[in-house]
Amino acid sequence: MTASAIRAPARSADADDATLRRAIAASALGNATEWFDYGIYAYGVTYISAALFPGEVDDAVLFALATFAISFLVRPLGGLFWGPLGDRLGRKSVLALTILLMSGATLAVGLIPSYAQIGWAAPALLILLRMVQGFSTGGEYGGAATFMAEYAPDDRRGFYGSFLEFGTLAGFSFGAALMLGFSLLLGDAVMHDWGWRIPFLVAAPMGLIGMYLRSKMEDTPVFREQVAEGSGALPLARLLRDHKRPMLVVAGLVVALNVVNYTLLSYMPTYLHRRIGLSPDEALLVPIIGMVFMMIFLPVAGHMSDRIGRRPMWRLSLIGLFVGVVPLYMLMATGLAGAIIAFVLLGLLYVPQLATISATFPALFPTAARFAGFAIAYNMSTSLFGGTAPAIGSALIGWTGNDLMPAFYMMLACIVGLVALRFMPETAGRSLHGDPFARDERSGARNSF
């Protein structure tokens, strides 16, 4: 079924254009702050591992990547805590708190004394702060996507929702560019000594600006309508019982989404440097160029999803990545030019998924279960498969000696995503009022693959 057959012209939110723009900015800046942290951590992992971990270089880098994954193990707890709270108290209140926790923890990472100064307390503090970041992120992403979706017009939710992911790449690119810029400006010795800490300190003003923008917004019209009608959030047991189908669909799609995401964006600088042999600066430059191209095409893909539907966009991306990832990884191994071309093409194949996250996932749940259902399913899947992707990719190469193992892992994830897509109802153009899975059951419709 195409979006044109189900599009409703009415808005899901009675928001004027100025309010809508503020809602987009408030959502996107929080997401940018979250991914700014991922950017500086992923692109500074060589410096972080040398400063805060003991042992040989290979072991220290693996420990640093594993610490990156540890934060994701806490995300489901964040989803379980923040999600129901957001459905009960409102999206705005939760989002103001999560951005403060997230930016404060990122700032604190830059202040941790080195392993040479305090020994094992250094990696212990890093792990603790990464857990705080993971806990706050468990509510941040689901809340920001829900906030964005509930403010956007029904017939343009894909287009406006794509700007949330524009914030993702903008934050990640900004963090990467800062790390690269300071590396070029200060040199390798100074970066290992203290220069790597500077980008972490930038998180504080970003968080304060994001909190200010969010505090000035009203909660979403959809949530306010629910409150006015006197209907509250669903108890957790009922959520898990009555809405397990959309949660399983989201979890399956997120396997594909985030294995690709964290392999491309977080692990790639390490992979390009250590496995392909690019210089540290070249390894940072390649993904930055790729992300610029991705940012350009995000709104285009979001707009296309409003026209033809979310399912065709996801299908195009999953099949394209499955077919193209191994040849493109082989092209990447030919040198700097090949790495740039391959990364750009992989990024563009991934864009149809990335651009439609905040339009696709929140729409699968009714309002009373939207924040919690999305946050719990998204973070459970991300913690198991997304955040662990860099460490798994590195470990698989070490065990097999095959540099294409991350590509094979991405192919497996795409298969899981295609299976989940088979059971996802089309939601493009539909109102956020109601339950799309219940509609499909009443109509007896079956989704064609």
Side-chain angles (χ1 to χ4, degrees):
M1 183 180 294
T2 63
S4 61
I6 56 178
R7 183 178 293 117
R11 287 190 171 201
S12 65
D14 295 321
D16 58 37
D17 289 340
T19 302
L20 181 58
R21 286 194 295 270
R22 289 197 299 272
I24 292 169
S27 300
L29 186 57
N31 220 35
T33 302
E34 172 191 345
W35 279 89
F36 174 78
D37 166 70
Y38 292 148
I40 55 180
Y41 193 93
Y43 284 52
V45 67
T46 301
Y47 305 120
I48 296 167
S49 60
L52 302 182
F53 289 89
E56 299 296 327
V57 174
D58 285 348
D59 292 337
V61 170
L62 186 57
F63 283 141
L65 290 174
T67 301
F68 180 84
I70 283 172
S71 69
F72 287 83
L73 299 180
V74 186
R75 284 180 65 155
L77 297 178
L80 285 166
F81 178 81
W82 298 111
L85 201 64
D87 283 330
R88 187 166 67 250
L89 301 180
R91 289 62 164 121
K92 168 188 167 179
S93 301
V94 167
L95 289 173
L97 291 172
T98 56
I99 195 172
L100 275 183
L101 273 176
M102 194 164 48
S103 58
T106 303
L107 168 68
V109 169
L111 302 176
I112 299 175
S114 69
Y115 179 83
Q117 294 173 311
I118 61 173
W120 283 102
L125 285 172
L126 178 63
I127 290 170
L128 176 63
L129 291 170
R130 294 298 300 173
M131 292 174 70
V132 172
Q133 290 168 325
F135 183 76
S136 61
T137 302
E140 168 62 34
Y141 187 76
T146 297
F147 193 82
M148 178 85 78
E150 290 183 345
Y151 258 110
D154 292 334
D155 58 351
R156 302 200 72 193
R157 193 176 301 124
F159 173 72
Y160 284 114
S162 68
F163 287 97
L164 185 67
E165 305 312 324
F166 189 94
T168 293
L169 294 184
F172 200 97
S173 300
F174 180 44
L178 271 186
M179 195 61 76
L180 176 60
F182 281 113
S183 175
L184 294 173
L185 179 66
L186 300 176
D188 193 60
V190 175
M191 285 296 291
H192 274 90
D193 188 20
W194 54 267
W196 66 270
R197 300 177 182 274
I198 300 175
F200 284 92
L201 308 183
V202 178
M206 288 180 66
L208 291 173
I209 294 170
M211 188 197 68
Y212 174 79
L213 288 175
R214 290 175 173 182
S215 67
K216 295 300 180 181
M217 292 293 302
E218 282 190 293
D219 223 317
T220 69
V222 174
F223 179 77
R224 284 184 277 130
E225 288 170 16
Q226 176 186 274
V227 172
E229 292 168 359
S231 56
L234 295 182
L236 183 59
R238 186 178 165 193
L239 168 69
L240 298 176
R241 184 193 69 205
D242 295 347
H243 300 285
K244 58 180 177 293
R245 287 182 62 205
M247 293 179 74
L248 287 171
V249 168
V250 168
L253 292 172
V254 169
V255 171
L257 175 81
N258 277 338
V259 167
V260 175
N261 189 87
Y262 290 103
T263 300
L264 280 183
L265 302 187
S266 298
Y267 179 52
M268 193 55 68
T270 303
Y271 179 84
L272 292 172
H273 174 49
R274 302 187 62 76
R275 304 300 174 184
I276 304 302
L278 299 186
S279 72
D281 291 339
E282 289 174 340
L284 295 179
L285 181 63
V286 170
I288 292 174
I289 294 173
M291 284 187 284
V292 170
F293 278 91
M294 292 169 68
M295 290 168 68
I296 293 170
F297 284 95
L298 276 170
V300 177
H303 174 70
M304 286 180 62
S305 79
D306 288 326
R307 304 281 295 179
I308 67 173
R310 320 297 185 214
R311 284 167 53 84
M313 299 295 288
W314 276 77
R315 189 181 304 116
L316 171 68
S317 177
L318 291 168
I319 294 175
L321 285 167
F322 181 84
V323 172
V325 63
V326 170
L328 290 173
Y329 259 70
M330 294 173 70
L331 174 61
M332 201 179 294
T334 61
L336 179 60
I340 292 173
I341 295 170
F343 189 98
V344 168
L345 292 176
L346 284 169
L348 294 181
L349 286 171
Y350 176 54
V351 158
Q353 291 181 59
L354 186 65
T356 56
I357 298 172
S358 60
T360 302
F361 294 162
L364 297 177
F365 298 91
T367 303
R370 183 165 296 129
F371 195 153
F374 180 13
I376 292 170
Y378 185 92
N379 287 297
M380 286 285 189
S381 187
T382 298
S383 69
L384 293 173
F385 300 102
T388 58
I392 289 174
S394 180
L396 286 174
I397 293 173
W399 294 335
T400 65
N402 188 341
D403 288 345
L404 293 176
M405 290 307 295
F408 295 139
Y409 189 46
M410 286 170 63
M411 291 175 68
L412 179 62
C414 287
I415 293 174
V416 175
L418 285 167
V419 172
L421 186 65
R422 169 68 180 80
F423 300 96
M424 187 187 87
E426 181 59 75
T427 60
R430 286 177 168 173
S431 170
L432 290 180
H433 297 282
D435 183 347
F437 282 86
R439 278 198 297 267
D440 280 1
E441 288 174 355
R442 287 195 300 269
S443 66
R446 290 175 61 89
N447 294 307
S448 62
F449 181 72

